[in-house]
């Protein structure tokens, strides 16, 4: 199992243990960033993590309620700066200290996470 540190900009979000790899990697995260208590300059990031977990739960349950899906899509727009416009903001560092740029990860309940290397940077 590979281990990484997950960063957003210079903020260490947590330690990741990769448990599955295909086109995307997934695993478990031990948070260093307390997104549940964050009330400071990183509130937007904390809100994104909470949104991502909620969205992941809905996707996993196969929700087909059009109103709920529309509401989630509208809510997601609040986080486009973290999801799309991040360029090199999200990255992982492996045990050798090598930095790899990733796309914005998706967070799941029970400290799960899914991420993918950014093909523009590897």
């Amino acid at each position: 199992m590979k281990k990484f540190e997950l960063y957003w900009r210079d903020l260490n979000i947590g330690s990741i243990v990769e448990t599955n790899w295909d086109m995307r990697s997934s695993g478990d995260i031990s948070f260093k960033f307390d997104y549940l208590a964050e009330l400071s300059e990183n509130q937007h990031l904390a809100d994104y993590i909470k949104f991502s977990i909620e969205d992941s739960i809905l996707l996993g349950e196969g929700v087909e309620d059009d109103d709920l899906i529309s509401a989630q899509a509208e809510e997601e727009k609040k986080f486009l700066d973290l999801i799309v416009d991040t360029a090199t903001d999200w990255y992982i560092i492996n045990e050798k200290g090598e930095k790899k740029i990733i796309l914005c990860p998706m967070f799941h309940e029970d400290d799960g996470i899914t991420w993918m290397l950014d093909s523009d940077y590897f």
Side-chain angles (χ1 to χ4, degrees):
M1 289 187 282
K2 296 179 184 176
K3 296 179 182 181
F4 306 94
E5 291 297 314
L6 172 66
Y7 286 84
W8 177 74
R9 296 185 178 162
D10 292 330
L11 179 64
N12 186 327
I13 303 296
S15 300
I16 299 174
V17 175
E18 183 179 57
T19 58
N20 188 27
W21 180 88
D22 193 5
M23 289 189 64
R24 295 184 184 100
S25 294
S26 61
D28 301 312
I29 183 168
S30 297
F31 284 97
K32 294 179 181 171
F33 173 68
D34 188 354
Y35 66 91
L36 293 173
E38 188 61 39
L39 296 173
S40 67
E41 63 189 86
N42 297 311
Q43 183 63 50
H44 185 59
L45 177 61
D47 289 344
Y48 167 70
I49 294 172
K50 289 181 254 185
F51 165 79
S52 182
I53 292 169
E54 179 183 311
D55 199 48
S56 171
I57 292 168
L58 292 175
L59 287 172
E61 292 175 350
V63 172
E64 296 181 17
D65 181 321
D66 289 340
D67 291 336
L68 186 55
I69 292 169
S70 293
Q72 282 298 102
E74 194 62 34
E75 182 75 10
E76 183 179 54
K77 290 179 184 178
K78 295 178 185 177
F79 304 108
L80 289 180
D81 61 317
L82 296 172
I83 298 169
V84 179
D85 302 331
T86 59
T88 58
D89 287 345
W90 290 100
Y91 59 94
I92 54 175
I93 297 179
N94 66 18
E95 294 173 298
K96 297 177 185 176
E98 299 168 326
K99 179 179 175 179
K100 301 283 185 185
I101 305 300
I102 63 170
L103 300 174
C104 179
M106 184 161 197
F107 297 90
H108 310 285
E109 64 183 332
D110 299 324
D111 297 330
I113 186 169
T114 303
W115 71 95
M116 190 165 130
L117 294 176
D118 188 333
S119 62
D120 289 343
Y121 295 95
F122 70 88

